[in-house]
Amino acid sequence: MSPAELLELYRQMLLIRRFEEKCAEMYALAKIGGFCHLYIGEEAVAVGAIAALRPDDYVLSAYRDHGHCLAKGSDPKRVMAELFGKQTGLCKGKGGSMHLYDIERRFMGGYAIVGGHIALAAGVAFGLTYQQQDQVVLCFFGEGAVPTGVFHEAMNIAALWKLPVLFLCENNRYGMGTPVERASAIYDIAQTAHAYNMGHSTIDGMDVLAVRDAVGRIVTEMRLTPRPYFLEARTYRFMGHSMSDPAHGHYRTKAEIDEHKKRDPILLFGQQLISRGVAGADQLKAIDAAMQTVVQEAVDFADQSPPTAPDELLTDVLAP
Amino acid sequence: MPELLYREALNQALREEMRRDPRIFLMGEEVGFYNGAFKVSKGLLDEFGVRRVIDTPITEAGFTGVGIGAALVGLRPIIEMMTFNFAILALDQIVNNAVKIRYMSGGQLAVPIVIRGPGGPSRQLGAQHSQSLESLFCHIAGLSVVAPATPRDAKGLLKSAIRQNNPIIFIEGQELYSTKGDVPDGDYTIPIGRAEIKREGTDVTVIAWSKMLLLALRAAEQLARDGISAEVIDLRTLKPVDYDTLLGSVRKTGRAVIVEEGWEFCGLGAQIATDLYRRAFDAFDAPVERVTGYDVPMPYARHLEQQALPTAERVIEAVKKTLYR
Amino acid sequence: MAIRVVMPKLSDTMTEGVVIQWHKHEGDRVESGDTLAEIETDKAVMDLEAFGSGTLRKILVPDQSTVPAGQLIAVIAAPDEDITPLLAEAGKAPQPTAQPTTPPSATPTPKPRGPTAQPPSDLATKPPAVEVKASPLARRMAEEAGLDLAMITPTGPGGRVVKEDVEQALAARKAAPAAAVPAYEARPMSQIRKTIARKMIQSKAPVPHFYVTNEIDMERALTMKAELADRQAPIKVTITDMIVRALAITLTRFSQFNASFQDDAIRYHQSIHIGVAGLIVPVIRDCQRKGLIQIAEEARLLFERAKTRRLQPDEYTGATFSLSNLGMEDVEHFSAIITPPEAAVLAIGKIAQRPVVVDGRVAVRRRMMTTISCDHRVVDGLQAAKFLQALKHELEEPTGLLLP
C-alpha cells in the first residue's frame, strides 16, 4: 500500500473517532435524540473492510452504523444533519442514527432489529447474481446477532445459493451488557459457519491492516467464485452500548476497558505509521486537527440546516 | 370469455407478467419442482427455469428478507407464502423492512415486492393452519392488502400488484382456488384500491371480501325472497379502502353490514364502520352490524368450526337487525 | 345501604313506563313489600313494591311522569345516609343540604287517580324533557322535512325514530289536507297504544297474511251453554270459553297452527297458550290440559283483572295462538292481524239468526262467521280450511268440549 493509502485509512479512522465524540457532545446538548450507539474503539473494522471494496460494492449495517456510513464515503455534514433531524440529512431526518442510508455510495442502510438485515444482505447479493453483476455485498453485524434465527436462515440460503456476501461479524464481546459466553453456545463465533459449509476465519479487529488484507483476499476470491464467507473481527467498544448507558458498570469493569484501550486501533495504527516511517507525529496531529475541523463543519452545517419540512411527514411512504 | 379456475387465473397472471418483465421472479416453498403447494405456479418452472422460479428452504423470514434485498437492487420479486399462516414468521421482514425502507431512507429506495399466497380458514385444518390474518397486515402503515374473490379479479389484481412499486400483501382465498369464473382473455388489469358492487340493491349495503363475498351473495339471494334488497360490495382491495364506492352505497341504503371471516376485535370491519360513521353519519338509519369469526382459535371439529365462522344465516340476521325486523 | 328504586322493565317490549301516582312520600318509612307507587307499563297498571326497608329519601319524578325502564325514580335509605352519589348518578343536582326533611315545594301533591279525573291540559303536558332518540338518517330527514322528531311515533329499538317512521309521518302529512288550522290534535299515546302500534307494524308488513272464512252453526253450542248455566251455577261458561276449548282440541290435532316462524325455522310449541284479544290480551295457558270449566273459571278471573289492568306480565305474554271476538259489538265478520311470532289468529263475528237450508227446507239457525288469519310462511290455505272444518265440527257437535 502506498503511504497515501495508509494515511487515508488513518484519516478515516480519526474522522469516525472525532465524529462519534462530537455526537456524544451533541447528544448531551439534545441536538441528537433517540438511541445513539457510538462506534468508538471499533473504527479499524469499518475502515479496513470498506477500504478493500470497490465503490460500487454494497454495504449493509446494523444500528451502530455511523462508522460504516462514513467509511463508505458519505458526507459527514449530511450524516450529522441526519442525526440532527434536518432536511439536509442523508434521509431528510426520517431515518435517524440507526437508519442511515446513502444509496449513491451503495450504503444500503442501518437496521435496528438485531439479525433482521442479514437476510436483506443475502437478498442484495441474490439480486446482483440474478443480474449477472460482479459486485459483492458486505454485511456488518455484531456477535449478538449470531444466535438469531434469521441469521441462520440467511447463512443457509447464502451458502446454498452461493451468494457473494461477506458476513462480517464485529465481535465486540458484548450484546448490550451480555458477554458472548453468556449468549452463544459457541465462544469461537466463526465456527458457526461450519454448519453451513462456509469459509470462515477470525482476525484482529483492532488492526486496520489485518482487516483490510483479510477482506481484500476474501472479496477478490468471491468475485471470481461467488460464494459467501464468514469473517469474525475481534474488536471492542470503548463506550457504553448507547448514549444512555455508562461505559462500564455491573457487566464489565473500568479496568477491562482500560486494558483494551491500550490496543486502541487508532493508537496502534499511528504508532505503526510512525515506526514504518510513513508519517511523523506532527503529520498525524495535523490530520487530527483537520478531522476536528471537518466534524465541526458538519455540526455547523447541521445546525444551520432547516428542520425537515412538516409536509415531509407524509411523503416517501409509497413509491409512485 | 373463457371460464377458468381461480388458481388458473392466478397462474395466467404470473406467467404473463413474467414474460413481460425479466426482473420478475417467483420465490417460495415448493413453487418450482412441486409446481406449487396449491398449483398456482404450475408449469412456471418449465417455462422460466430455476433462475426465475426458485424453491426455497422452509425459511419464511429468510427468503422474504432475500426478496426485499433483491428489490433494493432493482428486481421485482413475487414471494409466495405457502399459506399466510407462515407469513407470521416473516412479519419482521415485512413490517420492519419491506414497508419502512423507503421511508427510513428518505425516499432513496423502493421495495416493489408482492407477498402472496392463500389465506383464510379452510376445512378442519385446525388452529394454526386456519385463520384470517388480513386485518393484521392492514394495520401496518405503508402496506397495501388485496384479497380478490373471483378468478377475474384475481388475475387483474395480481397483475396490478406486480406492476406497482411498493410492498403489497396479496391474499388468495385458500378455499377459492377451485372456484370457477369468467376471465377475460389476455392482458388486463384491475386497479388496486377499487371495490366493486357485485350485486345491486337498495335496502342495505353488505360489505365483504374474499370467500365472504360468496357468503354475502348467498345471503342476499335469500333476503331477496323476503323482499329485502341487499347491495353486496366486494372490497377486493382491503387497504387502501375504496370509500367512494362504500359511501355511495351507504348513502343510498342507509344501512351497512360488514362480513369478515377473521376475528372481531380490531378487525378491518371495525375500521370501515368507524370511517363510514365519520364520513356519512347522517346517512345511517341503524348502527353498522358486523358479522365476524368468533374470537377463538379455530377448532378442529367440523361442527365447532362451522360455529366459529360467519354463516349466511348470521348475515341475514344482521341485515334484518339493521332493518329493524 | 341505599336502595335504588327504578322503573322496572317488566316485559321484553317495555321501554318506558308511567308513574301514575306515588303512594309514599319523601320521608315516609317503608318496609320491604310496601307499595311505593302505581305504575303503568305498556300492558298494565301495577303496584311498584319496595325491595328493601328504610326511609323514602328522595322521589325523583312526579306523578304522571313517563320514564325509561331502568331509570332511577326514587331512593330508599337510612335517614342519615349520604345519598348524593346516587342522586348525582341519576343526573339530578345533588342537594348539599339533603336531609330526611324535604323542602315542602318538592313534596308531591297527591292527585286523584284515573285519566278522567285529570284536567284536559294535563294531556298535552309533555313528560319531563327526554331527548328524542332517532337514527342519524331519521334526524336528517326530519330536519329537512321540517318535522318535529318528538311528534313522530318511534318503532325502532329503545324508542328510536328510524327512517320508516319519518316516512310514515311524511306520508301522513301529505295525506292530510293543507289548512291553516291544524286538522288534528296530537295527543300523546298511552303506553298500551304505543305497544300495539309497534307490534302491529311488525306484523303486517313482514308477515305474509292470508285469510280463510267459514260459518259455524251454533245452535247446539248455545243449547249446551244454557244447560251448563243451569247446572254450574257459580261458573258461567261463555261462548268464548267454548271456542277456546274447541280451539285447544283443534290445535292439538293441527299443531302447525300452534307455531312460530322465527329465524328461518318454524317452532312448533309444545303447549297451547291462547290469547283472548281485547286491548290487553290475557293468555290462558296450557289449554291442552284444561277442561271447559277450568278454562271458563280462569278466563273470568283474567278478564276481571284485565279490566282493572291488574294483570301480571306472565298473564298477558307468551300466547301461541290468539282469538279475537267482536261478536258482542255487532260485527258480522272481520279479519285480524297476527301478533308475531304467532302463526295465526282467529276472528269471531256475532252469532246471528240466518236462513239456511236444512234437509232441503229453509230454516232459521243461529250461526257465527269465523275468519282465520294465517302466516303463509308457516301454513297453507288448504290446511287453514281443514283447520276451520275441524273447529266447526267441535262447535257444531259440542259434546266433545265436555270430555276431559
Side-chain angles (χ1 to χ4, degrees):
Chain A
M1 284 180 83
S2 69
E5 285 172 319
L6 292 170
L7 285 173
E8 174 59 16
L9 296 181
Y10 187 77
R11 188 194 69 79
Q12 284 186 22
M13 286 202 288
L14 258 179
L15 169 64
I16 294 169
R17 175 67 55 91
R18 299 297 171 237
F19 187 93
E20 295 290 66
E21 287 167 352
K22 188 58 87 177
C23 282
E25 192 185 327
M26 293 300 114
Y27 194 89
L29 292 174
K31 302 257 186 185
I32 299 173
F35 290 146
C36 187
H37 309 86
L38 301 182
Y39 197 59
I40 293 171
E42 307 184 41
E43 296 91 340
V45 187
V47 171
I50 290 169
L53 300 182
R54 288 193 333 220
D56 63 343
D57 286 332
Y58 289 82
V59 171
L60 288 88
S61 176
Y63 51 85
R64 196 182 302 284
D65 59 348
H66 306 176
H68 308 113
C69 188
L70 290 169
K72 198 73 175 78
S74 294
D75 182 351
K77 289 187 174 119
R78 297 198 59 206
V79 178
M80 191 61 84
E82 181 64 25
L83 302 183
F84 276 42
K86 296 297 184 78
Q87 182 82 50
T88 52
L90 280 177
C91 312
K92 299 187 270 186
K94 296 184 184 183
S97 165
M98 301 192 283
H99 308 301
L100 299 172
Y101 288 81
D102 192 346
I103 303 317
E104 211 183 310
R105 289 178 180 76
R106 302 283 201 265
F107 184 70
M108 305 303 280
Y111 296 87
I113 305 296
V114 172
H117 69 296
I118 302 175
L120 297 185
V124 172
F126 173 88
L128 296 172
T129 305
Y130 186 95
Q131 296 174 88
Q132 294 163 324
Q133 293 174 343
D134 73 340
Q135 295 103 311
V136 299
V137 180
L138 171 57
C139 179
F140 292 98
F141 52 91
E143 86 291 343
V146 171
T148 66
V150 69
F151 164 84
H152 291 274
E153 294 190 12
M155 288 280 282
N156 180 62
I157 286 175
L160 189 69
W161 295 346
K162 300 189 167 40
L163 302 177
V165 52
L166 171 54
F167 297 107
L168 204 170
C169 176
E170 298 176 312
N171 180 358
N172 67 14
R173 301 249 318 106
Y174 293 94
M176 286 188 73
T178 303
V180 62
E181 58 271 21
R182 289 210 293 126
S184 175
I186 295 178
Y187 179 79
D188 194 357
I189 291 288
Q191 298 299 316
T192 308
H194 274 302
Y196 305 103
N197 199 19
M198 192 187 293
H200 58 92
S201 53
T202 302
I203 52 166
D204 179 5
M206 303 308 247
D207 182 344
V208 67
L209 291 180
V211 177
R212 190 191 175 283
D213 290 349
V215 172
R217 272 197 312 276
I218 293 161
V219 166
T220 305
E221 171 67 24
M222 195 179 283
R223 257 189 252 282
L224 291 172
T225 314
R227 62 182 170 211
Y229 192 93
F230 187 94
L231 180 64
E232 176 192 357
R234 296 253 167 106
T235 181
Y236 199 82
R237 76 172 139 73
F238 294 167
M239 308 287 282
H241 164 70
S242 78
M243 280 307 298
S244 319
D245 61 318
H248 55 87
H250 288 298
Y251 70 94
R252 66 180 189 183
T253 62
K254 183 166 187 305
E256 180 187 311
I257 297 170
D258 290 342
E259 191 57 32
H260 281 278
K261 278 187 173 168
K262 290 178 188 163
R263 299 199 71 249
D264 181 328
I266 296 174
L267 185 72
L268 287 183
F269 191 48
Q271 287 167 348
Q272 229 179 327
L273 290 175
I274 291 169
S275 67
R276 281 211 213 167
V278 177
D282 291 350
Q283 211 175 340
L284 298 187
K285 263 190 192 147
I287 291 173
D288 193 353
M291 290 308 102
Q292 290 187 41
T293 306
V294 167
V295 168
Q296 188 55 49
E297 282 167 0
V299 167
D300 293 344
F301 172 81
D303 249 338
Q304 287 152 18
S305 291
T308 305
D311 58 7
E312 285 282 355
L313 172 68
L314 301 179
T315 63
D316 302 325
V317 179
L318 296 177
Chain B
M1 231 186 298
E3 204 177 44
L4 290 184
L5 294 177
Y6 187 91
R7 64 159 62 83
E8 291 168 344
L10 290 165
N11 180 275
Q12 272 193 0
L14 291 171
R15 193 184 294 274
E16 289 171 16
E17 290 304 295
M18 287 179 77
R19 282 179 189 159
R20 187 183 57 78
D21 186 346
R23 296 171 302 170
I24 299 168
F25 65 89
L26 175 66
M27 178 180 276
E29 293 152 11
E30 311 291 0
V31 296
F33 288 92
Y34 192 85
N35 270 315
F38 292 89
K39 303 289 171 267
V40 173
S41 58
K42 190 174 175 186
L44 297 183
L45 177 72
D46 289 344
E47 178 167 350
F48 300 104
V50 293
R51 180 170 161 267
R52 298 183 65 196
V53 180
I54 303 142
D55 284 325
T56 67
I58 303 170
T59 49
E60 279 76 13
F63 67 74
T64 303
V66 167
I68 298 164
L72 296 181
V73 286
L75 297 187
R76 306 187 69 85
I78 301 169
I79 300 298
E80 176 169 314
M81 293 292 162
M82 187 184 283
T83 78
F84 260 96
N85 304 293
F86 316 146
I88 300 174
L89 289 159
L91 216 48
D92 173 52
Q93 293 300 328
I94 297 168
V95 174
N96 278 314
N97 290 336
V99 299
K100 290 182 184 159
I101 284 176
R102 179 164 183 81
Y103 197 81
M104 293 194 298
S105 69
Q108 296 181 70
L109 289 164
V111 185
I113 188 171
V114 178
I115 296 168
R116 50 154 288 271
S122 200
R123 286 173 79 94
Q124 287 199 273
L125 298 185
Q128 295 186 335
H129 272 246
S130 197
Q131 57 193 327
S132 294
L133 297 170
E134 60 266 29
S135 295
L136 197 65
F137 292 104
C138 284
H139 184 62
I140 310 301
L143 198 53
S144 302
V145 183
V146 174
T150 67
R152 173 177 153 272
D153 289 345
K155 181 175 174 183
L157 278 165
L158 183 51
K159 281 176 162 257
S160 291
I162 292 169
R163 292 180 194 184
Q164 56 89 55
N165 293 317
N166 294 289
I168 189 161
I169 299 290
F170 191 94
I171 301 176
E172 298 153 13
Q174 188 164 329
E175 293 205 326
L176 297 176
Y177 278 137
S178 298
T179 56
K180 265 190 180 170
D182 289 339
V183 176
D185 265 326
D187 187 40
Y188 70 96
T189 58
I190 288 172
I192 308 287
R194 280 291 165 76
E196 187 175 67
I197 297 172
K198 289 286 206 281
R199 179 192 174 111
E200 294 207 358
T202 53
D203 294 338
V204 58
T205 302
V206 180
I207 300 161
W209 56 89
S210 196
K211 195 175 74 189
M212 290 300 98
L213 173 72
L214 308 189
L215 190 78
L217 288 172
R218 262 208 316 280
E221 195 61 44
Q222 287 184 45
L223 284 163
R225 278 181 238 140
D226 281 351
I228 297 171
S229 162
E231 178 145 298
V232 179
I233 298 184
D234 179 3
L235 212 51
R236 302 199 294 194
T237 297
L238 313 192
K239 190 186 178 190
V241 171
D242 177 4
Y243 282 110
D244 289 346
T245 299
L246 299 190
L247 289 167
S249 178
V250 161
R251 290 209 169 97
K252 178 173 70 175
T253 63
R255 303 172 178 90
V257 172
I258 305 169
V259 189
E260 66 186 298
E261 212 168 9
W263 297 303
E264 179 178 3
F265 194 81
C266 282
L268 174 58
Q271 179 67 44
I272 293 173
T274 298
D275 285 331
L276 292 179
Y277 283 140
R278 272 203 308 222
R279 299 183 192 199
F281 183 64
D282 65 5
F284 282 99
D285 196 35
V288 172
E289 287 295 325
R290 292 178 65 205
V291 178
T292 70
Y294 282 103
D295 276 351
V296 294
M298 192 63 66
Y300 160 74
R302 184 70 185 137
H303 64 290
L304 295 180
E305 185 183 56
Q306 279 167 340
Q307 281 180 54
L309 295 172
T311 58
E313 288 67 39
R314 278 170 63 197
V315 176
I316 288 166
E317 202 178 305
V319 163
K320 289 190 172 168
K321 204 167 166 198
T322 65
L323 287 156
Y324 301 111
R325 293 198 188 164
Chain C
M1 191 61 191
I3 296 159
R4 291 187 165 102
V5 181
V6 300
M7 174 58 67
K9 183 171 166 67
L10 295 167
S11 70
D12 275 353
T13 52
M14 177 176 170
T15 56
E16 56 184 26
V18 180
V19 177
I20 294 185
Q21 188 185 25
W22 288 98
H23 286 200
K24 297 278 182 186
H25 302 126
E26 286 186 3
D28 284 358
R29 170 79 199 163
V30 295
E31 297 298 330
S32 179
D34 282 0
T35 298
L36 295 173
E38 234 176 335
I39 54 172
E40 184 191 6
T41 72
D42 54 351
K43 304 276 185 180
V45 175
M46 324 190 32
D47 287 341
L48 175 66
E49 292 178 355
F51 288 118
S53 307
T55 300
L56 183 59
R57 289 280 303 281
K58 185 77 188 167
I59 288 175
L60 290 157
V61 297
D63 290 354
Q64 296 299 330
S65 311
T66 302
V67 180
Q71 183 177 309
L72 190 69
I73 56 176
V75 178
I76 298 169
D80 53 351
E81 202 174 330
D82 179 16
I83 59 167
T84 42
L86 261 182
L87 297 179
E89 177 198 323
K92 305 280 172 187
Q95 306 209 347
T97 54
Q99 291 296 317
T101 50
T102 339
S105 62
T107 310
T109 323
K111 283 181 191 166
R113 246 203 68 218
T116 48
Q118 288 180 22
S121 64
D122 265 18
L123 276 177
T125 308
K126 274 190 165 179
V130 185
E131 200 184 333
V132 179
K133 277 195 256 177
S135 77
L137 175 61
R139 203 171 280 282
R140 174 165 59 94
M141 288 170 69
E143 197 181 305
E144 285 169 3
L147 285 174
D148 180 1
L149 274 175
M151 298 314 294
I152 298 175
T153 309
T155 64
R160 182 190 302 156
V161 176
V162 300
K163 176 185 170 191
E164 203 175 321
D165 305 332
V166 181
E167 284 170 348
Q168 293 269 353
L170 282 171
R173 187 170 69 171
K174 241 180 231 161
V181 185
Y184 56 84
E185 177 195 3
R187 291 191 200 175
M189 293 192 291
S190 70
Q191 293 304 104
I192 288 165
R193 176 48 58 195
K194 281 188 195 173
T195 304
I196 291 170
R198 193 162 61 231
K199 272 276 181 191
M200 290 303 106
I201 210 156
Q202 279 164 6
S203 172
K204 202 64 202 287
V207 177
H209 286 62
F210 72 90
Y211 314 93
V212 177
T213 305
N214 78 3
E215 199 177 70
I216 299 174
D217 190 309
M218 295 298 281
E219 282 296 339
R220 289 188 61 185
L222 287 164
T223 308
M224 191 169 91
K225 181 190 161 203
E227 284 170 8
L228 286 171
D230 290 345
R231 287 166 187 269
Q232 297 281 341
I235 310 264
K236 193 180 148 212
V237 173
T238 65
I239 286 295
T240 301
D241 299 333
M242 293 169 79
I243 296 172
V244 169
R245 174 67 182 142
L247 274 173
I249 294 167
T250 311
L251 284 169
T252 311
R253 282 179 54 205
F254 290 81
S255 60
Q256 64 268 42
F257 287 83
N258 195 52
S260 309
F261 183 87
Q262 270 170 310
D263 307 329
D264 283 1
I266 298 174
R267 302 180 185 179
Y268 296 97
H269 303 294
Q270 309 286 347
S271 304
I272 297 170
H273 305 316
I274 297 179
V276 184
L279 256 189
I280 299 173
V281 185
V283 177
I284 305 168
R285 308 192 88 80
D286 295 307
C287 292
Q288 78 281 7
R289 287 200 268 112
K290 291 174 181 167
L292 180 59
I293 302 304
Q294 198 183 346
I295 286 172
E297 196 169 356
E298 280 189 23
R300 188 177 55 84
L301 291 170
L302 283 169
F303 293 146
E304 269 172 25
R305 288 228 292 286
K307 236 176 260 171
T308 51
R309 303 165 100 185
R310 301 283 161 193
L311 287 178
Q312 295 304 304
D314 65 342
E315 292 172 325
Y316 56 76
T317 57
T320 59
F321 188 98
S322 289
L323 170 66
S324 183
N325 190 348
L326 291 180
M328 58 292 269
E329 304 296 335
D330 198 28
V331 167
E332 285 283 335
H333 67 87
F334 71 105
S335 319
I337 294 179
I338 294 168
T339 308
E342 293 164 40
V345 56
L346 187 74
I348 306 286
K350 68 176 175 185
I351 297 172
Q353 290 195 339
R354 293 198 179 96
V356 285
V357 178
V358 182
D359 297 333
R361 297 179 56 185
V362 175
V364 175
R365 311 278 290 194
R366 286 174 290 176
R367 292 169 73 92
M368 172 181 89
M369 305 278 275
T370 61
T371 299
I372 187 165
S373 309
C374 302
D375 183 344
H376 216 327
R377 297 171 303 179
V378 180
V379 289
D380 299 320
L382 184 61
Q383 293 171 317
K386 297 275 184 206
F387 180 88
L388 285 189
Q389 276 173 21
L391 182 73
K392 180 182 167 87
H393 174 78
E394 293 301 330
L395 289 167
E396 291 185 349
E397 312 280 339
T399 326
L401 303 182
L402 295 170
L403 298 175

